[in-house]
Each structure stands twice: as C-alpha cells, then as structure tokens.
Amino acid sequence: MASLSARLRAYFATGGYDRAEERTLVRKIDFFILTFCCLSYFLNYLDRSNLANAYVSGMKEDLGFTGNQLNEINTCFTVGYVIGQIPSNLSLHYVKPRNFFPFMMVIWAGLTMVTASVHSPQAIMAIRFFQGIAESSTFVGTHYILGSWYTERELGKRSGIFTASGLAGTMIGGFIQSGIYSSMNGRHGLSGWRWLFIIDGIITLPVAVYGYFLFPDTPATTTAFYLSKVERELAVERVTPPVDDISDSSTSPPTSTPSPTENKPIVGATSPSSSPSSPVLTWAFAKSVLTSHEWWGFVILWIIAGETESFSSNSLLSLYMKASPPLSTTTTSPPTTKPRYTIPQLNNYPTGVPAVGIVSTLFWATLTDFLAGKRYLVGYFIGTTGVVTSAMILAAEHGRFGEPFGDKSISVVFGAYYWAGAVYACQATFFAWANDAMRVGREPVFRSVVLAGMNLGSNAVNAWWSILFYGAGMAPWFERGMYAMIATSIALAIWTAGLSYMTVRAEKKRARDVGMFRDLDAEAPR
C-alpha cells in the first residue's frame, strides 16, 4: 500500500523524475500548455453546446425552426469541421502554433458574436460552416502538441485534463445560458439567447491574446522566454526515442554499420516535435499514410467511437425533455397544460451528462497511465455502456417500467443519459493511444495527419449519422438511434480487440528489427 501511495503522490505531484531540471520543465509546460489549450477547448465546446442551449431557450420560436433544421445546422458545422481537419494539422508544421491557434480563435469568436444578429436558421447554417473550419484547429491540433511535449507515462493524464475542459464547457454552458436568460433577456431589446452568443465571443478574445504571447510552440521550435536553453534541449531529448526504440515497421532493418552510441538519444531523429525535413504534400507521403495500419486502424476506431458519443454530442437529453408531453393543470377551469420542464431546467438538468463525462475521462486517462498505456481497455467499457444505456431507454419507451412518461420511466431515462456521458472517456484515451503507437518509427507529420484523419473520419460520418438516427423530429425516444447505438457499441468492442492485436504485433516486429540491428552491430569489424 505504501508503494502505491508513493506512486500516486509522484504521479499527481509531477514527481518521479531523476533530474530536478525535468521536474521544473514539466511544471512549466503543464502550466503554459494546459492553461491555454484547456481554456481554448473549454470555449470551443461552450460555443458548440450553447447552440442547443439557445435552441431550447427561445431561439427555436424566435427564428421559426421546423423539422430537423437544428440537425442541419450541426451538419453544416460538421462539414466545415471535416474540411479543416488535415489542413489545420499540416499548418502546424509551417506556421508556429502560437500564431495559428490564436488566429483561428479570433475568427471563431467573431463568428460567434455575429450569430447574435441572425434572423433565420439558414443564416446560422452559413455561419456555422465557417465556424467549423476555424474550430477544427483545436482538438486534433492540441493532441498533436500534447504528443510532442509529453512522454508516454505523462500523456494520458494531460489528454484527460484537456478533454475534461471541453466537457466542462458543455456542462457550464447550461448554467451560463440559464443565468443570462434570467438576467439579460430583453435587455436592449435582445433575447437572452442572443446575449449568450455575444458573451461567448467576447470571453474568447483574451485567451487568444494569452496564447499569442505565451504558448511555447513545439520542443524543436520553441522560443518561449520562460524556458532556459538547457530546458529546451531537455524538452527535445526526453521525447526523442533512444536508438534501441527507433524502428519503422514499414521498412527493412538497416544494412549499414550502426554507431556505437546505441543507447543515447538521437536528437531530432524521429522527434515528435521536429518540422518536416522534406515536402509533405507528395504522392509518396500520401501513399505511406493511406497504406499504413495506423491510418486505417485508428481512423476507423474513432469513426465508431465517435458515434457512441451521439447521446451527448447531439444533446439528446435536452431534446427528450423539450419534446416531453406537457403536464395537465387541474387547478384551473377549464384544465390547462404547461410545459413539463421550465427553461432553467432545460438548461441545467442536461449538465449531469458532461459532469459524468469529466469524471470518467479523468479516471480512465489516469488508470491507463498506471497500466502502462493499455488504452484499449476503454473500448470494452464504452461498448458495454452503449449497449446497456440504449436498452434502458428502449425499455422505458415500451413501458417496461410503467407508463413511458411516468416517474419511474423518466428516472430510468435520465439515469441512462447520465451514464452514457461516461463514453466521453474514449476521447482522451484513444487519441493518447494513437500518439503512443506512432511515437516511435513515424515522422511527426505522419502522426499529425493520422490524428487529424481520425477526427475527419468521425465527423464525416457524424454529418449524416445524426440526421439519420438522431434528428430533432425523432424526439423524445430516438428509437432508431437506440438500435444504432447498440450496433456501434458492439462494433467498437470488436474493432478495439483487433486493433490492439495489430499494435502489439507491430511492436513485436519493431523488437525483432532492433534485434537484427544489434546483430549487425555485433558482426561489424572494430
């Protein structure tokens, strides 16, 4: 127990480093990287979730929404988001991240504020398309940056903290909208939901300024004033694999005599932070990516896993509540009806979903760090969660717990949606898994394209998946979506098992290649 306690203290106190310089370095980059990235993602998700908050807070009625127009707006955003994925991550190799990230934030902040002036759903569709392009830089770009600065034993926790910050934006967005609606609705002739977009845009701008002056770029390119020369060199050294670990599974073992410095780091050899040494946009590079097991394995993994988040990403609990039948009021004559949920309740009750997501994300990110990077375990947990929560909602719909809108059935539905928030854990762990799998033997730009491809694939499918299975017109039960969730959850568990086998096989091949490398070294004349 004492040993475990010591490990926990070392893990959470940024301890366990042999050199004081490394401990100081990690604390510095934790502060400057995580504060900017987490604030950026918090605001990113605050903006996305607040569209649904605005929808249930008067925007639907003010703009005359009909049918699945809310889903169509989300699809327009997703199309822009998909288009921006790979170009955004490639841009990080040619434009300093401390310039690129804040610039994109200013764009999406401006578009958010413009949304307050719209008078039709179609106008929001156009704005959200360009907003999707701007916001595409944040998620996969940050995962690339985290993989560039942090080692395998550090990455899970940081990825979890980053992902949790986005969920915090979703959770707090409901409370913010509730407060704005109560205090500012009608002020200066503007509805509360319009003030929400104005305030969202304004609070984004200071974070962009902070990033421009203090974000440290990548280890190989950083000029941050708060990092000494020794710390900059250490930043590169600690994420550069030793020669024992460098082996590209797609190439044959080296035929030349190796250097006798076999246990020393080769700075810049395959550093996750270096710039591309040759032109990237070539057919040879594209072929190397598209024929790799990392591309197909992790892209398809995230396509499937991304759809297990549909309960939360499509705000299904909010739509369930909004579409619930009204309550009858018998104290008046004649009897009247009133909405089952008030506007504050419509905004506040769904915050339990991201709250569960935050706890689940941090738990699994930390646990997989302690389990030596066994990130695949989350796939089995998510698969089980998706099957069980979908079955609970279907059972409630079909009267297995009494009347579909009786107290017991409503409690089951709320419990299912809250539990389903736990699937957000796969964001941090699966992107950390991909970073770990490509840390050795792959160029940084290869890793950045695969990470972007994961989110591209997921959002490309989600652009039509949400309309087909989770359209607003299907509320409150989304029966078709429940069966789709069961199918994707089972598929996720199966694909996770196959991909974990492939990654282990690739690691063993690299180990064999390293063994052959050493044999050549032993046979070389001295």
Side-chain angles (χ1 to χ4, degrees):
M1 181 63 70
S3 176
L4 176 60
S5 177
R7 287 179 62 196
L8 288 170
R9 285 198 303 271
Y11 182 74
F12 289 105
T14 318
Y17 297 104
D18 294 333
R19 292 175 287 182
E21 295 88 350
E22 186 173 11
R23 183 164 54 250
T24 301
L25 169 66
V26 172
R27 285 174 176 167
K28 286 182 178 180
I29 61 177
D30 273 349
F31 181 81
F32 289 104
I33 291 178
L34 290 180
T35 52
F36 173 73
C37 289
C38 289
L39 284 171
S40 175
Y41 198 43
F42 170 85
L43 294 167
N44 192 296
Y45 250 77
L46 182 66
D47 167 65
R48 294 190 215 178
S49 65
N50 278 348
L51 181 67
N53 295 134
Y55 180 83
V56 300
S57 301
M59 185 175 73
K60 176 184 178 182
E61 292 77 13
D62 288 355
L63 301 187
F65 274 74
T66 59
N68 292 331
Q69 285 183 318
L70 177 64
N71 300 87
E72 291 167 6
I73 290 174
N74 289 331
T75 295
C76 289
F77 176 90
T78 300
V79 170
Y81 197 71
V82 166
I83 291 173
Q85 292 295 303
I86 291 179
S88 290
N89 255 23
L90 286 176
S91 296
L92 295 176
H93 296 276
Y94 300 101
V95 180
K96 287 190 173 183
R98 75 177 183 87
N99 295 329
F100 184 72
F101 285 144
F103 176 70
M104 301 304 278
M105 289 185 70
V106 170
I107 292 177
W108 99 55
L111 291 170
T112 300
M113 288 186 279
V114 169
T115 307
S117 67
V118 302
H119 296 285
S120 69
Q122 290 76 16
I124 302 180
M125 292 177 192
I127 292 171
R128 297 294 281 190
F129 169 77
F130 293 103
Q131 204 161 353
I133 294 175
E135 293 190 16
S136 66
S137 60
T138 304
F139 182 75
V140 293
T142 298
H143 276 293
Y144 169 74
I145 293 294
L146 295 177
S148 298
W149 282 95
Y150 292 107
T151 64
E152 184 175 353
R153 79 181 182 93
E154 301 164 341
L155 185 58
K157 179 171 69 173
R158 275 74 180 184
S159 297
I161 293 171
F162 167 68
T163 299
S165 68
L167 296 175
T170 302
M171 181 176 70
I172 293 174
F175 295 113
I176 291 176
Q177 173 61 32
S178 180
I180 290 174
Y181 185 86
S182 300
S183 62
M184 301 192 70
N185 186 41
R187 182 166 295 188
H188 299 293
L190 296 179
S191 301
W193 66 265
R194 295 186 187 272
W195 279 111
L196 178 66
F197 291 115
I198 294 172
I199 293 171
D200 280 355
I202 290 173
I203 63 178
T204 300
L205 297 175
V207 179
V209 173
Y210 170 77
Y212 177 75
F213 287 105
L214 294 174
F215 194 72
D217 295 318
T218 62
T221 62
T222 185
T223 57
F225 68 88
Y226 48 82
L227 296 179
S228 67
K229 180 180 178 181
V230 172
E231 288 171 337
R232 293 174 193 171
E233 292 174 350
L234 178 59
V236 174
E237 175 189 334
R238 64 192 224 99
V239 293
T240 304
V243 71
D244 277 359
D245 295 336
I246 297 177
S247 172
D248 189 341
S249 61
S250 63
T251 60
S252 300
T255 56
S256 58
T257 303
S259 165
T261 59
E262 66 172 5
N263 290 316
K264 295 181 180 179
I266 302 178
V267 177
T270 55
S271 170
S273 55
S274 58
S275 299
S277 56
S278 58
V280 171
L281 301 178
T282 64
W283 285 114
F285 175 75
K287 182 179 179 181
S288 70
V289 172
L290 295 175
T291 57
S292 67
H293 78 273
E294 291 98 338
W295 170 269
W296 293 107
F298 286 106
V299 168
I300 294 177
L301 175 75
W302 191 239
I303 287 174
I304 301 171
E307 298 317 321
T308 65
E309 294 182 348
S310 291
F311 281 11
S312 306
S313 61
N314 289 292
S315 306
L316 298 195
L317 180 55
S318 296
L319 296 175
Y320 164 82
M321 294 170 64
K322 183 76 172 177
S324 293
L327 295 171
S328 296
T329 303
T330 58
T331 57
T332 61
S333 181
T336 59
T337 60
K338 66 175 182 178
R340 185 177 292 267
Y341 302 101
T342 65
I343 287 180
Q345 288 173 333
L346 288 170
N347 284 291
N348 294 339
Y349 287 1
T351 59
V353 177
V356 172
I358 290 171
V359 174
S360 177
T361 294
L362 295 176
F363 171 79
W364 280 101
T366 301
L367 179 63
T368 55
D369 274 353
F370 273 108
L371 296 178
K374 292 181 174 63
R375 321 283 187 196
Y376 60 84
L377 294 175
V378 177
Y380 305 128
F381 167 73
I382 300 304
T384 302
T385 295
V387 170
V388 175
T389 54
S390 300
M392 289 169 65
I393 294 171
L394 287 170
E397 178 191 6
H398 293 289
R400 303 299 184 189
F401 306 103
E403 289 296 320
F405 285 96
D407 290 343
K408 187 173 181 180
S409 294
I410 291 174
S411 298
V412 169
V413 171
F414 269 78
Y417 277 121
Y418 287 153
W419 181 6
V423 305
Y424 273 121
C426 63
Q427 286 191 12
T429 48
F430 283 171
F431 276 84
W433 185 10
N435 262 315
D436 291 341
M438 293 178 285
R439 189 180 298 277
V440 175
R442 292 297 192 188
E443 287 295 321
V445 67
F446 182 100
R447 178 168 57 87
S448 72
V449 170
V450 172
L451 292 173
M454 290 170 66
N455 228 27
L456 182 155
S458 177
N459 283 279
V461 172
N462 196 53
W464 55 267
W465 190 274
S466 61
I467 294 176
L468 185 61
F469 294 109
Y470 303 104
M474 300 176 189
W477 295 110
F478 306 98
E479 182 170 349
R480 187 191 302 172
M482 296 304 125
Y483 288 112
M485 180 64 67
I486 291 172
T488 53
S489 298
I490 294 171
L492 176 63
I494 295 171
W495 192 265
T496 296
L499 182 57
S500 62
Y501 169 78
M502 290 294 296
T503 54
V504 168
R505 191 176 73 168
E507 289 172 2
K508 288 181 178 179
K509 185 178 187 304
R510 282 196 293 268
R512 289 196 299 270
D513 290 348
V514 169
M516 297 176 68
F517 186 98
R518 288 172 173 165
D519 290 343
L520 290 171
D521 185 31
E523 295 171 3
R526 302 296 184 187

